[in-house]
Amino acid sequence: TINGEGEVVAQDAEYSMAVWANGGKVVINGGTFRNGGDTCDLVYASNGGHVEIYGGEFIPKGPSSGEVPGTKNPYPALNIKDRDRENSSIVVYGGRFHNFNPADNVSEGEHTNFVAEGYKAVEVETGVWEVMPE
């Protein structure tokens, strides 16, 4: 469980996620999360990993993948390993996402929604979405 107001910055290297739930559960209640470079996702789940996000600021640096329009989000804040989509998850209950709409993005395929049922993502300023109850 991550609580607080600190900052997590992934290093600019291959597989440079700020948070990687690789078979475990991660709960994010606050903090700021950034990529150190433009090579990987900000929050990633694989191998049966689960992430619940209740708050925090998510500022992905891009572009990463996504050089072909419509294939990937160039600012990948959230992602689940393709082969693990059936047993891994990311569910968003709160937080602010820069250059990434967690309710309608293409990191997991067209129009993927990571936002929990009963919640919505609202664009509160240009390119910044905040997740809140409906």
Side-chain angles (χ1 to χ4, degrees):
T1 299
I2 300 171
N3 295 312
E5 310 240 346
E7 186 170 57
V8 177
V9 180
Q11 299 302 305
D12 186 13
E14 188 174 3
Y15 304 114
S16 63
M17 291 73 132
V19 175
W20 185 355
N22 186 18
K25 180 178 179 181
V26 177
V27 177
I28 299 172
N29 292 316
T32 301
F33 301 83
R34 300 177 189 271
N35 303 53
D38 60 2
T39 58
C40 258
D41 309 307
L42 207 54
V43 177
Y44 192 74
S46 66
N47 195 31
H50 301 283
V51 179
E52 295 177 3
I53 299 173
Y54 294 92
E57 193 94 10
F58 299 85
I59 308 169
K61 182 178 177 183
S64 178
S65 53
E67 294 173 9
V68 177
T71 60
K72 295 282 184 178
N73 188 319
Y75 297 89
L78 308 175
N79 198 1
I80 299 171
K81 186 168 185 73
D82 291 343
R83 72 170 187 228
D84 294 335
R85 288 183 188 166
E86 295 298 317
N87 67 359
S88 299
S89 65
I90 298 174
V91 182
V92 181
Y93 298 89
R96 289 173 58 95
F97 294 81
H98 296 252
N99 299 311
F100 184 90
N101 181 351
D104 185 15
N105 67 85
V106 294
S107 67
E108 288 297 304
E110 195 166 352
H111 306 297
T112 300
N113 182 2
F114 289 108
V115 175
E117 188 173 324
Y119 290 77
K120 63 184 177 182
V122 175
E123 191 170 16
V124 294
E125 55 189 84
T126 302
V128 179
W129 285 265
E130 188 169 326
V131 176
M132 59 189 71
E134 290 184 322

